[in-house]
């Protein structure tokens, strides 16, 4: 391809879902240069026309079809992007609603804004409470809430515990605490006293020592803390601890927080809170 | 409907996207009782067969068609769920790939795991650094990083600043700090000194005082802090501050962190980092 293609992700809500899905589709095409625009909250005729105008201009300038991946509940708004020669329009609702209506033997309501908002206040508050829990039980600050935790992540400093806890809280409402394996813990090579009573809740995070060294180097350049040999020692000792006590664990080296959280939920057989 | 319907969200990755999208579709059907199962990391024939067995059992027990919404890149795995009378199978890839291939005039690679992982280490690390930034610049702890912030959320205690900052960081890689408007700030009714130099970065969060009172009551029952009259005063004063200084703002009363973050990105014209 010698020319960039333009993609619009259009949603009547946040656009995050359609954007994620769109990228997972587009990533399957190698070497295509893309200009992507995400337009959230397209929930009125005015807003739809504003986006459409932008698309028309781009299509005319680039002399290429613009790809529109949309998630618009309102059929009227959706239709505005249909039947243009310069637009390839793929919409989730119009594609999946008919088979779903048939399967459920029922008509869809087609009302925008039914998800992602605070549909259920208590459920939403629980999710936010989980965020507070993750924050106040980060980095072994206190042990007094470990009994309430759904899970306690353990690992060496910078192995990815904090962001994983936060994502578990935000996405799944899970009460996730974490405990950092310190030099002292590693020297003793046994489960630290503070977390010993909660064996069933422990989940280990490990990481390739070279990647760990790079991450720590950003924090404290040229320190023993970031030294590859020291990182190697810490990681190996932590891993042997996981093995000895049979603590399930995952490497964070090539896994995003999204993947880690989903895998932890599965391995520990946890369910979304609510 | 007098019987529960079973829905499987099946993904070769985390399942979060297909689950979100599935719920946005299913929320359009009122009064349907659903049993939903999310199965992530279905990336082998073995795992696919394991899920399929589960589906077969449920279909046979409930004597109802099972709805499968999937996002499976591998056409072989996908096909396993096709052509069963007891399964309604909707798959994103097989639905959207053909029109996309045509639009791009190119065959898709159909390789699993191309997204959500750490495809780009530097980009991922920036996202994690944003999480660290949000944590170390939470609640007005320090002002020394405000110059580096993309945005500074301000609002009264418990108006939703912290989770919104964290979500902005995790999802968009935005450097988000926050500053709590204290009693002292509100009494003075002017922009606090600490954040005055960063007027352009300020974004206000407000909240219905009754909801605020309920949230605070959970923290400190029967306190002045949680008292509805006090909450009303704080919220009104904060809002008048936003108005006087022309600070863009949003109410968190009926908006989830996902919606707040997307709206803030749009209103402040911010782009995903990197």
């Amino acid at each position: 391809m010698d020319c960039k293609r333009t993609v619009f992700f259009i949603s009547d809500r946040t656009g995050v879902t359609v954007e994620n899905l769109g990228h997972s589709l587009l990533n399957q095409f190698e070497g295509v240069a893309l200009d992507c625009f995400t337009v959230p909250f397209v929930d009125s005729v005015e807003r739809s026309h504003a986006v459409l105008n932008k698309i028309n201009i781009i299509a005319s300038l680039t002399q290429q079809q613009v790809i529109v991946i949309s998630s618009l509940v309102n059929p009227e708004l959706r239709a505005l992007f249909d039947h243009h020669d310069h637009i390839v329009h793929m919409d989730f609702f119009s594609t999946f609603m008919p088979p779903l209506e048939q399967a459920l033997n029922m008509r869809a309501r087609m009302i925008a804004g039914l998800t992602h908002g605070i549909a259920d206040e208590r459920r939403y508050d629980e999710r936010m409470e989980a965020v507070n829990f993750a924050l106040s039980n980060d980095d072994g600050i206190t042990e007094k809430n470990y009994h309430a935790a759904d899970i306690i992540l353990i690992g060496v400093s910078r192995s990815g515990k904090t962001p994983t806890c936060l994502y578990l809280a935000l996405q799944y409402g899970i009460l996730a605490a974490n405990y950092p394996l310190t030099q002292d813990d590693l020297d003793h090579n046994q489960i630290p006293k503070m977390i010993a009573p909660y064996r069933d809740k422990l989940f280990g995070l490990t990481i390739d020592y070279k990647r760990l060294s790079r991450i720590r180097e950003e924090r404290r350049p040229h320190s023993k803390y970031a030294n590859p040999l020291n990182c190697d020692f810490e990681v190996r000792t932590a891993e042997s601890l996981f093995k000895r006590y049979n603590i399930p664990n995952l490497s964070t080296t090539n896994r995003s927080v999204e993947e880690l959280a989903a895998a932890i939920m599965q391995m520990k057989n946890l369910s979304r809170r609510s």
Side-chain angles (χ1 to χ4, degrees), chain A residues 5 13 27 44 55 81-82 92 129 200 236 245 268:
Chain A
R5 296 300 296 263
R13 301 190 300 108
N27 282 336
S44 67
I55 292 171
F81 302 93
D82 284 336
F92 292 123
E129 266 317 305
D200 290 351
R236 272 191 293 121
Y245 289 93
K268 294 292 285 184

Side-chain angles (χ1 to χ4, degrees), chain A residues 1-264:
Chain A
M1 312 278 303
D2 45 4
C3 182
K4 270 198 173 181
R5 296 300 296 263
T6 310
V7 183
F8 274 76
F9 303 118
I10 304 176
S11 169
D12 49 27
R13 301 190 300 108
T14 69
V16 169
T17 300
V18 65
E19 192 183 57
N20 281 342
L21 198 49
H23 280 300
S24 74
L25 293 166
L26 292 164
N27 282 336
Q28 297 293 331
F29 296 91
E30 205 167 9
V32 183
L34 299 170
D35 246 344
C36 297
F37 300 93
T38 302
V39 195
F41 306 118
V42 178
D43 51 9
S44 67
V45 175
E46 291 70 35
R47 290 190 183 205
S48 305
H49 272 295
V51 187
L52 189 56
N53 283 339
K54 217 170 160 181
I55 292 171
N56 293 344
I57 292 168
I58 290 173
S60 140
L61 284 173
T62 60
Q63 289 291 308
Q64 293 256 36
Q65 279 188 317
V66 171
I67 296 166
V68 173
I69 304 183
S70 75
S71 165
L72 297 167
V73 173
N74 186 330
E76 269 179 70
L77 303 187
R78 226 188 274 155
L80 292 175
F81 302 93
D82 284 336
H83 310 300
H84 299 278
D85 285 341
H86 61 286
I87 298 177
V88 182
H89 184 206
M90 292 172 264
D91 178 85
F92 292 123
F93 283 97
S94 46
T95 307
F96 291 113
M97 270 310 174
L100 210 48
E101 286 184 323
Q102 208 189 335
L104 295 170
N105 193 23
M106 181 178 212
R107 297 286 295 186
R109 289 185 282 176
M110 295 303 185
I111 302 170
L114 291 172
T115 20
H116 252 269
I118 308 184
D120 179 341
E121 189 174 297
R122 211 172 97 214
R123 188 175 168 163
Y124 181 76
D125 288 349
E126 276 189 14
R127 203 149 63 90
M128 293 307 108
E129 266 317 305
V131 173
N132 291 328
F133 186 91
L135 289 175
S136 52
N137 293 279
D138 185 42
D139 217 22
I141 300 171
T142 164
E143 62 188 297
K144 68 173 194 286
N145 294 317
Y146 283 163
H147 70 278
D150 294 317
I151 192 160
I152 303 167
L153 299 188
I154 64 174
V156 301
S157 171
R158 296 286 112 187
S159 56
K161 301 181 296 300
T162 300
T164 309
C165 280
L166 288 170
Y167 190 82
L168 280 165
L170 267 169
Q171 181 62 244
Y172 299 102
I174 292 293
L175 300 180
N178 73 70
Y179 177 92
L181 293 171
T182 63
Q183 193 66 55
D184 213 44
D185 295 329
L186 295 170
D187 287 343
H188 283 84
N189 201 14
Q190 55 187 21
I191 287 195
K193 267 193 195 146
M194 226 165 127
I195 50 174
Y198 310 102
R199 279 281 293 278
D200 290 351
K201 298 183 181 186
L202 301 183
F203 193 97
L205 293 186
T206 185
I207 183 169
D208 171 69
Y209 79 92
K210 280 171 281 180
R211 172 131 167 86
L212 179 63
S213 173
R214 282 199 300 278
I215 293 171
R216 288 184 172 183
E217 193 69 30
E218 290 281 318
R219 292 228 129 183
R220 296 193 216 150
H222 317 303
S223 60
K224 187 195 166 196
Y225 173 74
N227 182 283
L229 285 176
N230 178 58
C231 289
D232 185 31
F233 165 78
E234 285 192 27
V235 168
R236 272 191 293 121
T237 317
E239 284 177 358
S240 84
L241 198 74
F242 299 157
K243 201 168 175 184
R244 187 137 68 92
Y245 289 93
N246 214 6
I247 297 169
N249 60 86
L250 277 175
S251 167
T252 66
T253 310
N254 295 306
R255 284 186 182 91
S256 63
V257 281
E258 289 82 359
E259 289 171 332
L260 289 166
I264 290 168

